[in-house]
Amino acid sequence: MNPFAIHAISTLPVTALLAILASAGEAPRPTKLIAKPGLFDSLTEPPCSYCSTENRKGIVPPDERVIAWVRGQHNGGAFPLRHFIAARRVINDTYGLFFFDPDGGYVTAFKKDYGYDFYGWCAGVMVVKGKDGTLWSALSGLAFDGPRKGQHLERIPSMMTDWGFWLMLHPESTAYNLFDGKKYPQAKLPAELSAEAKESMSQADSRLAPLANVLGVEIGGRTKAYPLDGPGDRACFTDELAGQSIAVFWYKPTRSAVVYASKLGGRNLTLYADDISPETAPFKDKQTGTRWTLAGRAVDGPLKGQELTWVPSVQCRWYAWAAEYPGTEVYRQEGTTN
């Protein structure tokens, strides 16, 4: 195969890349699809409520992991994983289409759609099946087999965080109704990789530890992984990807990472983590001194009330991101080596 052609396709998700390499006579990395349809039942349109209302029931502890959608009516919303999706893996809802892959360490959020169910694993990454039989990667949102093969689901602005932290930011935001805490089957968040994920894995990319926590970012066909879990409680990585200036927010106390465009209203902002700012708004910009929340909202300063533009991304484990995007770049801070 022409080496330039290989470079051009290297940022494709692994399912698409394997198909292209196979058709060209290239030897793909070993991978395996393990199908177990029906292993988990999906949840469709659970009744809605508000975060503040559900918090008064005292069912959800402050450190409970939640997936939050950070834009939309009521300043978005959030729901606890253990109560709604850990035992389901898929939620089909008007607020979004959510996939939980505990092996890959992520929840992906896509534009609302219906009829999706858990299907299995491929290269250690969860696979879902659409109502028309199409198979989709839960991580990349790429259809790799079936009537919609080659299409992508559209991501919606989201991030992982803790219930108490999100409640502090947006108590008025949307939540799902917990009722008495017993309506939905609860499940512990798995501490180890499943046997099926391990069996379906391809060879791990050695640039980072397989279970390293990263934020994977995708812009215009370019992808990049930003290693997290570094020193300090808060960090902001400024970078450029596919010609777009971005800022990656990382807040270690809630293990939350999210990325925004640095340009706002025609002005390029230099965003940074401010150690003396309150936890409600741990980031600032050098141009105006405005304080920004993890949800990308200005809450104090000249730009108060404005919002940064969310950039398509997902927080996950390195092995999953590298399997889906084998040509991904890796962000290196100054002073680090490859």
Side-chain angles (χ1 to χ4, degrees):
M1 176 179 281
N2 186 320
F4 295 103
I6 294 176
H7 177 76
I9 65 174
S10 63
T11 58
L12 288 173
V14 68
T15 45
L17 183 60
L18 290 172
I20 293 172
L21 291 176
S23 66
E26 301 284 343
R29 294 186 300 171
T31 190
K32 184 177 182 180
L33 173 64
I34 297 179
K36 287 197 174 181
L39 185 61
F40 302 101
D41 294 327
S42 300
L43 181 62
T44 300
E45 290 195 339
C48 293
S49 181
Y50 294 96
C51 287
S52 56
T53 301
E54 297 310 302
N55 191 62
R56 284 196 290 271
K57 297 176 182 178
I59 297 171
V60 183
D63 62 352
E64 188 86 15
R65 295 301 280 169
V66 303
I67 179 67
W69 53 102
V70 299
R71 296 291 182 265
Q73 293 182 331
H74 314 295
N75 283 324
F79 62 80
L81 306 190
R82 182 169 57 93
H83 289 267
F84 292 100
I85 201 171
R88 304 280 189 165
R89 304 298 170 89
V90 176
I91 293 181
N92 303 273
D93 188 49
T94 54
Y95 287 108
L97 175 63
F98 303 96
F99 302 143
F100 174 46
D101 181 355
D103 296 306
Y106 63 84
V107 179
T108 43
F110 299 99
K111 190 175 180 179
K112 69 176 182 179
D113 205 348
Y114 298 92
Y116 291 80
D117 293 296
F118 174 89
Y119 185 77
W121 296 262
C122 182
V125 176
M126 195 173 90
V127 174
V128 295
K129 188 175 183 178
K131 57 187 175 184
D132 61 359
T134 299
L135 297 182
W136 303 80
S137 162
L139 179 57
S140 66
L142 172 75
F144 64 91
D145 187 60
R148 297 177 65 184
K149 182 178 179 180
Q151 296 184 31
H152 278 87
L153 299 172
E154 181 182 345
R155 296 191 192 276
I156 61 173
S158 62
M159 69 175 182
M160 292 287 296
T161 190
D162 290 345
W163 172 254
F165 187 79
W166 180 257
L167 187 73
M168 176 182 64
L169 291 181
H170 294 296
E172 77 289 358
S173 64
T174 303
Y176 292 144
N177 196 330
L178 288 156
F179 296 96
D180 60 357
K182 300 177 182 178
K183 180 177 176 64
Y184 304 107
Q186 296 180 39
K188 292 183 179 179
L189 303 185
E192 298 182 355
L193 296 180
S194 66
E196 294 85 354
K198 291 179 181 177
E199 185 181 349
S200 70
M201 279 184 185
S202 55
Q203 185 176 355
D205 188 314
S206 62
R207 285 179 289 174
L208 296 172
L211 302 185
N213 186 27
V214 303
L215 183 72
V217 181
E218 182 177 12
I219 305 176
R222 293 272 302 279
T223 61
K224 199 165 189 175
Y226 294 79
L228 306 172
D229 297 325
D233 282 348
R234 56 188 75 175
C236 178
F237 310 131
T238 56
D239 199 12
E240 185 171 301
L241 184 62
Q244 182 172 337
S245 296
I246 59 174
V248 175
F249 291 173
W250 166 240
Y251 191 62
K252 194 172 184 178
T254 60
R255 295 160 290 156
S256 302
V258 63
V259 59
Y260 299 102
S262 299
K263 193 171 185 177
L264 179 68
R267 169 191 283 178
N268 287 315
L269 299 177
T270 305
L271 294 149
Y272 67 99
D274 183 36
D275 292 336
I276 63 173
S277 287
E279 61 178 339
T280 50
F283 305 96
K284 294 180 75 173
D285 70 77
K286 293 183 178 179
Q287 284 72 21
T288 71
T290 298
R291 287 191 171 95
W292 298 88
T293 72
L294 200 60
R297 295 186 174 91
V299 294
D300 180 57
L303 301 180
K304 182 179 179 180
Q306 298 198 45
E307 295 180 341
L308 299 171
T309 300
W310 183 83
V311 174
S313 53
V314 60
Q315 188 175 337
C316 61
R317 285 173 167 162
W318 165 246
Y319 87 81
W321 182 259
E324 284 290 278
Y325 303 99
T328 188
E329 300 173 55
V330 176
Y331 177 77
R332 302 290 181 183
Q333 290 182 269
E334 291 184 9
T336 61
T337 57
N338 292 333

